């Protein structure tokens, strides 16, 4: 064992939840260490330069008027995003869309059952303004009580696959309305970091350092140390050897499953371990980057194709942010999800081909003018979201061992917003329990 | 000497291709190594016997997806 070091809090993993936690904790006066196993900071919320293009490592939409913007404001960091808006597309036509205004217009545009669809819209309004559905009923079963028009059900497809990373057959209708109600109360301003995520998040990382904290890359957590059911620190492996870092609290952005493995299952309560078994990562999610000499879309908005079967959403970030491509070049970013429940192995080649085929139908110019820059598959140990639906709280059953990120349950929050929201909750908890210094 | 291998744990995220200085890895759905250009193969650090580059490994988010094999064929 090499040297020993001490911090108030060690944050494990520099994804969205880790970055937001570290910035908030350092700003609150805690001596904070943020450690990252990889050579780059940001996890699935980062960006890398690739052949002159700024390519995301996962998230691309970083919405304003959200808990993410709150994080920057709360720590006094500059939040530099560019609004792009959203549209829904059917039969090749794009229509401006605020997520908070719902899908009524899209449903009425596609339905062959206007009476049933009208009843469904009434039920949706009731669920948004009065009492949302509860329990575990799926969205498909809930919609079916009003209409069996498959095209109407499929209008939920982009919202459910792109934002909730589930399918209309599996997602609990309660989760859908938790998200919609959040949007109704505080609608996102759909936006992105014009120079890529890592440039956007740099002010948060600077906040950590300005307040006496440290950020270490290429530092792998080998063990979370526990004594008398309370965390005491971590063992880190760096290029210069192993080091023990003592801490009053540990915030893990590694996902609850990995956190338990690093600490040792024997330290955890049986009920917590049982809940852990229910954590199922989102199955294969594909992103394509298509380059071209001219923009393949004539607007910067995030497009949700409500008549798609494979593609969740697509956008050309270089329309609003030409900095993300070499001069005169453009890049279409496309998300392809699993749209049916998965049983058994996934055929990746088949799914990639299905995504490409549908993209050519939705954006015909791709076939003539587009060139594939990259195809990325998110699954298994590098998923889109760490869980479809978790019941795990932010506190583990070990004292002062907290989890943040997309493996934690907070109805109405998903993806990067969930990372930022869990960071806010955990920081608040630590401030109330742990004395800095 | 074989020093780098893409294993079945690869999820095809493509970050190895993004950072490879010699374009020795192609990742379309899953990573494939094109051996001859890889710095780790062509210019290993002689004294230590360790590969000279392997920046792909430090960027790979999935443990064990890119494995270094110090054994001899």
């Amino acid at each position: 064992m090499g040297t020993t070091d001490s911090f108030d809090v060690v944050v494990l993993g520099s994804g969205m939840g880790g970055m937001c936690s570290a910035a908030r904790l350092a700003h609150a006066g805690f001596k904070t260490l943020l450690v990252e196993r990889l050579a780059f900071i940001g996890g699935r919320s980062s960006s890398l330069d690739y052949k002159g293009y700024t390519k995301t490592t996962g998230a691309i939409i970083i919405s304003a008027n959200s808990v993410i913007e709150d994080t920057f404001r709360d720590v006094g960091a500059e939040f530099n995003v560019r609004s792009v808006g959203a549209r829904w597309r059917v039969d090749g036509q794009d229509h401006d869309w605020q997520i908070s205004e719902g899908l009524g217009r899209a449903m009425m545009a596609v339905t062959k059952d206007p009476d049933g669809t009208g009843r469904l819209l009434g039920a949706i309004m009731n669920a948004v303004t009065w009492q949302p559905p509860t329990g575990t009923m799926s969205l498909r079963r809930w919609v079916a009580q009003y209409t069996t028009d498959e095209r109407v059900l499929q209008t939920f497809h982009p919202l459910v696959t792109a934002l909730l990373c589930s399918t209309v057959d599996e997602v609990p209708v309660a989760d859908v309305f938790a998200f919609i109600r959040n949007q109704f109360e505080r609608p996102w301003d759909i936006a992105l970091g014009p120079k890529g995520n890592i440039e956007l998040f740099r002010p948060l990382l600077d906040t950590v350092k300005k307040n006496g904290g440290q950020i270490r890359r290429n530092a792998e957590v080998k063990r979370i140390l526990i004594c008398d059911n309370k965390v005491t620190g971590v063992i880190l492996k760096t290029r210069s050897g192993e080091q023990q870092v003592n801490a009053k609290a540990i915030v893990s952005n590694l996902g609850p499953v990995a956190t338990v493995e690093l600490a040792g299952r024997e330290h955890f309560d049986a009920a917590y371990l049982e809940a852990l078994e229910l954590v199922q990562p989102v199955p294969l999610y594909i992103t394509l980057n298509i380059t071209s000499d001219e923009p393949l879309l004539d607007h910067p908005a995030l497009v949700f194709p409500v008549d798609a079967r494979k593609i969740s959403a697509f956008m050309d970030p270089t329309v609003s942010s030409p900095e993300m491509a070499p001069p005169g070049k453009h890049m279409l970013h496309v998300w392809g999800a699993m749209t049916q429940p998965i049983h058994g192995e996934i055929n990746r080649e088949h799914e990639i081909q299905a995504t490409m085929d549908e993209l050519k139908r939705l954006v015909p110019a791709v076939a003539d003018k587009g060139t594939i820059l990259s195809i990325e598959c998110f699954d298994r140990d590098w998923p889109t979201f760490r869980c479809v639906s978790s019941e795990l709280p932010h506190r583990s059953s070990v004292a002062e061992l907290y989890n943040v990120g997309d493996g934690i349950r907070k109805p109405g929050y998903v993806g990067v917003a969930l990372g930022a929201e869990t960071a806010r909750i955990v920081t608040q908890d630590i401030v109330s329990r742990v004395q800095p210094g | 000497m074989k020093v780098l291998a893409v294993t079945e744990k690869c999820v095809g995220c493509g970050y190895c291709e993004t950072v490879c200085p010699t374009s020795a890895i192609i990742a379309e759905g899953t990573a494939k190594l094109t051996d001859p250009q890889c710095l780790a193969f062509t210019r290993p650090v002689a004294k230590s016997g360790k590969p000279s580059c392997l920046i792909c490994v430090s960027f790979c988010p999935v443990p064990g997806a890119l494995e270094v094999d110090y054994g001899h064929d």
Side-chain angles (χ1 to χ4, degrees), chain A residues 210-433:
Chain A
K210 271 192 307 196
N211 288 280
Q214 290 183 26
I215 299 169
R216 294 184 195 163
R217 294 180 299 161
N218 297 305
E220 185 176 1
V221 183
K222 300 302 289 182
R223 190 81 180 157
I224 296 171
L225 303 173
I226 294 170
C227 183
D228 295 333
N229 194 42
K230 186 176 185 304
V231 289
T232 58
V234 291
I235 303 291
L236 296 181
K237 183 185 174 190
T238 64
R239 287 176 176 169
S240 54
E242 290 199 351
Q243 182 187 32
Q244 179 168 328
V245 179
N246 299 324
K248 297 172 184 172
I250 302 289
V251 177
S252 175
N253 190 208
L254 307 177
V257 174
T259 303
V260 165
E261 293 306 319
L262 286 167
R265 294 175 68 86
E266 66 277 12
H267 294 293
F268 291 84
D269 181 77
Y272 186 82
L273 293 176
E274 198 168 285
L276 198 70
E277 298 298 320
L278 301 176
V279 175
Q280 295 289 332
V282 170
L284 179 63
Y285 208 86
I286 294 164
T287 62
L288 307 175
N289 284 302
I290 309 290
T291 61
S292 56
D293 292 333
E294 55 188 86
L296 298 174
L297 299 176
D298 60 3
H299 59 76
L302 176 65
V303 181
F304 293 92
V306 299
D307 54 354
R309 291 293 176 273
K310 182 66 192 165
I311 289 175
S312 300
F314 53 86
M315 71 182 304
D316 183 342
T318 59
V319 173
S320 66
S321 306
E323 305 97 311
M324 296 175 81
K329 294 286 187 179
H330 293 270
M331 177 173 64
L332 185 71
H333 189 74
V334 183
W335 292 263
M338 304 304 292
T339 55
Q340 292 179 332
I342 305 304
H343 303 288
E345 283 291 303
I346 296 172
N347 183 332
R348 280 199 207 184
E349 299 302 319
H350 172 81
E351 299 300 333
I352 291 169
Q353 190 60 51
T355 307
M356 277 304 303
D357 290 347
E358 185 162 77
L359 179 61
K360 288 172 184 169
R361 178 177 70 78
L362 293 168
V363 188
V366 165
D368 301 328
K369 299 174 181 171
T371 302
I372 297 173
L373 176 70
S374 67
I375 301 169
E376 297 174 33
C377 297
F378 292 82
D379 66 353
R380 293 178 286 184
D381 288 340
W382 193 246
T384 310
F385 291 174
R386 283 223 172 84
C387 68
V388 179
S389 181
S390 160
E391 294 298 331
L392 289 172
H394 68 277
R395 286 184 183 181
S396 75
S397 62
V398 172
E400 311 310 342
L401 176 56
Y402 303 84
N403 282 292
V404 292
D406 55 8
I408 297 305
R409 173 75 164 170
K410 179 73 194 280
Y413 289 86
V414 294
V416 286
L418 182 56
E421 173 64 2
T422 50
R424 185 190 66 77
I425 293 168
V426 163
T427 302
Q428 208 170 41
D429 203 350
I430 291 175
V431 166
S432 71
R433 290 174 54 84

Side-chain angles (χ1 to χ4, degrees), chain A residues 68-81:
Chain A
I68 301 170
E69 184 171 7
D70 294 349
T71 306
F72 281 74
R73 184 200 59 220
D74 291 349
V75 303
E78 185 185 3
F79 184 60
N80 179 23
V81 294

Side-chain angles (χ1 to χ4, degrees), chain A residues 37 39 50 57 348 376-377 380, chain B residues 10-11 13 15 17 29 58 61:
Chain A
R37 173 176 58 89
Y50 181 58
T57 58
R348 280 199 207 184
E376 297 174 33
C377 297
R380 293 178 286 184
Chain B
C10 171
V11 296
C13 67
Y15 307 155
E17 183 183 348
S58 65

Side-chain angles (χ1 to χ4, degrees), chain A residues 81-100:
Chain A
V81 294
R82 205 165 281 170
S83 294
V84 295
R87 298 185 180 194
W88 55 272
R89 171 175 288 206
V90 67
D91 298 331
Q93 296 292 313
D94 290 345
H95 307 264
D96 285 337
W97 186 40
Q98 289 282 336
I99 297 175
S100 57

Side-chain angles (χ1 to χ4, degrees), chain B residues 5 17 19 21 39 43 45-47 50 53-54 56 62-64 71 73:
Chain B
E17 183 183 348
V19 297
L39 284 179
R43 279 194 275 159
V45 178
K47 283 182 183 173
K50 289 184 177 177
C53 176
L54 293 183
C56 53
V62 181
D73 284 337

